[in-house]
Amino acid sequence: MGRWLVETVGPRTAQLGAELVPLSLSELSLPFLDEEDHPSAGVYTQEHTKRWSALVDAADGFVVVTPEYNHGMPATLKNALDYLGREWAWKPIGFVSYGNTSSGTRSVQHAKQVVTALRLVPLGSTVALRIGEAVDGGRVLPPAAAAESAVRVLDELVRAANALRPMREIGHPDHRAGPLPGSYLRRLAPQDSAEVLALQRCCWVDEALANDTLAVPALHESLEQVREWLGTWTTSGLWQDGRLLGMVRTLRADDDLHVGRLGVVPDLRGRGIGRWLLRAAEATAEPGCVRTVLHTGARSRRNLSFYHGEGYRSTSAGGADGVVRLTKDVTRQELSNARN
Ligand SMILES: Cc1cc2nc3c(=O)[nH]c(=O)nc-3n(C[C@H](O)[C@H](O)[C@H](O)COP(=O)(O)O)c2cc1C
């Protein structure tokens, strides 16, 4: 059945830009749960648990192919679910069931009740196969309608996985809680270039107006250029419910920490988000780093008064390019923040 599913939804998976990783619980050979601690603690001592944890952690969603045993899910599936905690959270799960009169639907109902305890999100679309109709002489040949249902499950799975991404990211141990409820800071990567491009195009319009020039790099960069610098600068983005609210980037050069592209969406300005992002960037200064350096337009009065208020001094009055360079000594406090 698993092979039938992979073959049936394979082309659609490629169209959706998703990756399907087939996995068989029988090959995983998980013994009955043999960890001391509750899985929610995430303290794993056994190699098989660590392996299973890494596999589940790497996935954004699941399709379970399951039979029905005594009107419920098989013990192997329940055991595999019970092994882990955080790794399942906020990931969609779809089901392809098979069985006799019930087509395995009772197994799915049973599993749905259990998976919600793990904060897995069960899908509405399912595929339910009657063994008598789907298997012919040992060969799995489900009716055409089943193939259409399987593609529907996959479509729903990918959409739900995308929609739930902010829920997964907010709880990730590498991500820091932001200044607004439900917001979080995470490192931006080249695949975030489209959101970054949109944010900087809208943020730097004010800079262009204040300085009466369109010669502002953030307004001109192509998607490719943004993708490129996202690979070299350390850039942090503040997210809330899938929306990029603000960003800042840093780059270490000798004793200096260069800070740039500090921007906040127009509707959330004046709430201290820019200040919070700037301080978060400054806190990344490592030992040996003595100054933070940033630039703004010579006529960007609001930016200049904000940076001066944050302890920056203008070290150039604005050259022919109309850009002012500002610096600030890295304090012990920032270094200790960076270490903590
Ligand atoms: C212990 C056990 C209990 C079963 N209970 C059910 C059941 O409640 N409903 C059903 O439709 N089929 C039931 N079956 C039949 C299975 O659906 C069928 O044997 C199926 O091919 C098992 O899939 P598997 O070989 O991948 O485990 C049961 C089979 C076993 C071994």
Side-chain angles (χ1 to χ4, degrees):
M1 294 286 178
R3 203 169 310 132
W4 167 80
L5 180 70
V6 171
E7 281 164 13
T8 303
V9 301
R12 185 65 164 186
T13 311
Q15 277 174 7
L16 294 168
E19 190 193 355
L20 201 63
V21 182
L23 202 99
S24 158
L25 284 186
S26 60
E27 282 167 22
L28 213 64
S29 303
L30 283 172
F32 273 119
L33 179 59
D34 56 356
E35 292 285 352
E36 286 281 318
D37 288 295
H38 191 283
S40 63
V43 180
Y44 305 135
T45 57
Q46 307 286 351
E47 277 313 308
H48 53 253
T49 318
K50 291 177 190 168
R51 227 175 17 247
W52 181 221
S53 164
L55 284 167
V56 173
D57 211 22
D60 289 320
F62 310 91
V63 180
V64 169
V65 181
T66 183
E68 177 174 301
Y69 281 4
N70 296 315
H71 300 193
M73 72 175 112
T76 43
L77 176 56
K78 176 74 164 64
N79 187 49
L81 289 165
D82 289 342
Y83 252 95
L84 307 174
R86 183 194 63 76
E87 299 87 338
W88 296 116
W90 305 116
K91 296 179 181 178
I93 186 165
F95 294 92
V96 174
S97 66
Y98 56 98
N100 295 315
T101 40
S102 71
S103 306
T105 51
R106 289 171 297 207
S107 169
V108 172
Q109 288 311 109
H110 179 212
K112 279 185 172 179
Q113 180 201 329
V114 172
V115 299
T116 54
L118 294 162
R119 283 172 292 149
L120 277 156
V121 180
L123 300 178
S125 290
T126 54
V127 182
L129 302 171
R130 269 185 94 155
I131 293 173
E133 290 167 5
V135 181
D136 187 9
R139 291 181 62 210
V140 178
L141 289 167
E148 287 165 24
S149 300
V151 170
R152 262 198 301 279
V153 169
L154 182 78
D155 283 357
E156 202 172 305
L157 186 85
V158 172
R159 283 209 313 280
N162 288 335
L164 290 167
R165 190 177 304 282
M167 300 292 283
R168 293 197 292 283
E169 288 191 342
I170 197 169
H172 197 283
D174 292 347
H175 303 157
R176 176 178 162 193
L180 300 182
S183 66
Y184 59 92
L185 193 70
R186 77 155 164 83
R187 173 121 191 228
L188 299 181
Q191 56 266 34
D192 296 307
S193 54
E195 278 79 7
V196 169
L197 184 86
L199 180 67
Q200 67 177 22
R201 290 242 172 122
C202 95
C203 285
W204 269 265
V205 166
D206 285 349
E207 186 83 347
L209 292 172
N211 293 276
D212 199 18
T213 175
L214 282 174
V216 179
L219 287 178
H220 294 278
E221 278 171 355
S222 66
L223 198 60
E224 206 35 61
Q225 286 170 312
V226 172
R227 203 191 306 274
E228 210 176 296
W229 68 249
L230 279 170
T232 49
W233 288 72
T234 303
T235 311
S236 297
L238 182 71
W239 296 84
Q240 188 187 45
D241 298 332
R243 184 181 182 212
L244 182 61
L245 304 182
M247 65 174 177
V248 65
R249 70 180 189 181
T250 58
L251 189 69
R252 177 79 186 267
D254 301 322
D255 295 345
D256 292 341
L257 180 73
H258 287 264
V259 176
R261 298 295 157 94
L262 177 62
V264 176
V265 288
D267 58 307
L268 292 175
R269 297 212 179 125
R271 297 193 189 198
I273 296 173
R275 193 182 310 279
W276 187 91
L277 282 167
L278 177 62
R279 291 180 182 178
E282 290 169 344
T284 65
E286 290 159 349
C289 184
V290 298
R291 285 189 318 178
T292 18
V293 180
L294 50 83
H295 298 86
T296 193
R299 285 153 68 184
S300 306
R301 288 218 325 271
R302 281 182 57 185
N303 285 0
L304 285 166
S305 91
F306 164 67
Y307 289 130
H308 290 153
E310 286 296 299
Y312 284 82
R313 281 178 296 121
S314 305
T315 56
S316 70
D321 59 356
V323 172
V324 181
R325 176 185 164 95
L326 298 116
T327 65
K328 177 182 170 180
D329 292 339
V330 172
T331 63
R332 262 197 219 103
Q333 182 57 47
E334 276 145 16
L335 281 177
S336 102
N337 286 349
R339 262 180 240 119
N340 294 332

